[in-house]
Amino acid sequence: MKMNERIRSRRKELKLTQAVLAKLVGVNRVTVTGWESGDYEPGGSNLQALSAALKCNPLWLIDGVGDPESNAPAPTPTEKFGIKKIPVISWVQAGEWTESGAPVTANDVSEWIYTSANLSDEGFALKVRGDSMTNPSGFPSIPEGSLVIVDPDFGSPYEVNGRIVVAQIDGSTEATLKKFVIDGPLKYLVPLNPNYRVLEVNGNCRIVGVVKQVVTDL
């Protein structure tokens, strides 16, 4: 592998987004994108900070020789940068995650990621399935395979009118991802893909959380 490939591979191994890595290193995301595309290479203090964030030996980043974790700098304290470690849960677990006395706990989670989104301590992530939120006309669009970062602490439903939410419809065992729209006395869950139907939800739906961030690059 080349240096840019090692940077990208290590970042993905640690479940860091480009935005999170940029915060830990103290650069902007464009710089991280440049490093990973091979347009330019980190050097000096940036190389040291990048090595700390990626928990690896800077010499391994440069030439790929040896064990990446030997003689690695002290890990970057993520809390200092307002970065949270959150669980990636299933769509079934999402409906139970914040329920009182629910059987789903952190011990049931096998995957975690880091996020720079401003979240409550109960925040979580979901991997998007299907194409109901893929907008063929462009933005906004949440394609299959993306990760959505969700905050269950959102206030009243009226505060999330027009936002992308995770919702649980009565009788369903899984949560769903849709745009929540209030139109007078009526409430709807609206897909971004017009090939899917709009769902009217009045008294038969619970909003689990509001989407704060969409991650399409891990």
Side-chain angles (χ1 to χ4, degrees), residues 75-96:
T76 304
T78 56
E79 297 81 4
K80 176 182 176 182
F81 298 91
I83 292 170
K84 287 181 177 290
K85 184 180 180 182
I86 62 171
V88 180
I89 63 177
S90 73
W91 291 91
V92 172
Q93 290 173 323
E96 306 173 334

Side-chain angles (χ1 to χ4, degrees), residues 1-215:
M1 288 193 296
K2 297 179 181 179
M3 183 178 187
N4 64 304
E5 295 171 329
R6 285 190 289 275
I7 294 172
R8 179 177 174 81
S9 173
R10 185 67 175 173
R11 173 179 65 78
K12 294 180 73 173
E13 181 182 342
L14 296 176
K15 305 294 184 182
L16 301 174
T17 65
Q18 287 186 340
V20 167
L21 181 58
K23 270 199 169 187
L24 294 176
V25 179
V27 297
N28 58 45
R29 182 174 177 172
V30 174
T31 299
V32 173
T33 301
W35 290 341
E36 293 193 355
S37 64
D39 291 341
Y40 37 88
E41 296 182 347
S45 60
N46 279 346
L47 178 61
Q48 290 299 317
L50 179 62
S51 300
L54 295 178
K55 304 176 183 178
C56 66
N57 188 326
L59 294 178
W60 175 81
L61 276 182
I62 294 170
D63 57 27
V65 175
D67 180 357
E69 298 185 2
S70 66
N71 299 315
T76 304
T78 56
E79 297 81 4
K80 176 182 176 182
F81 298 91
I83 292 170
K84 287 181 177 290
K85 184 180 180 182
I86 62 171
V88 180
I89 63 177
S90 73
W91 291 91
V92 172
Q93 290 173 323
E96 306 173 334
W97 188 250
T98 58
E99 290 291 284
S100 177
V104 182
T105 68
N107 293 330
D108 301 307
V109 177
S110 59
E111 183 178 359
W112 297 77
I113 65 167
Y114 292 91
T115 178
S116 57
N118 184 18
L119 297 172
S120 66
D121 291 340
E122 289 75 35
F124 58 89
L126 293 163
K127 184 165 290 187
V128 177
R129 300 182 306 182
D131 63 350
S132 69
M133 294 301 282
T134 301
N135 185 352
S137 300
F139 183 83
S141 183
I142 309 176
E144 183 172 18
S146 302
L147 281 177
V148 287
I149 310 302
V150 184
D151 194 346
D153 184 7
F154 56 86
S156 74
Y158 288 92
E159 293 180 53
V160 296
N161 182 25
R163 302 283 298 277
I164 305 297
V165 303
V166 173
Q168 182 88 29
I169 298 174
D170 290 352
S172 175
T173 58
E174 297 187 358
T176 185
L177 180 71
K178 296 291 184 290
K179 182 178 181 180
F180 181 67
V181 176
I182 300 176
D183 184 9
L186 302 178
K187 300 179 179 68
Y188 301 93
L189 292 178
V190 182
L192 297 180
N193 188 333
N195 292 325
Y196 290 78
R197 66 186 181 91
V198 173
L199 302 176
E200 183 178 338
V201 287
N202 289 289
N204 63 336
C205 171
R206 176 175 63 88
I207 297 178
V208 175
V210 61
V211 173
K212 289 293 193 74
Q213 189 178 64
V214 178
V215 180

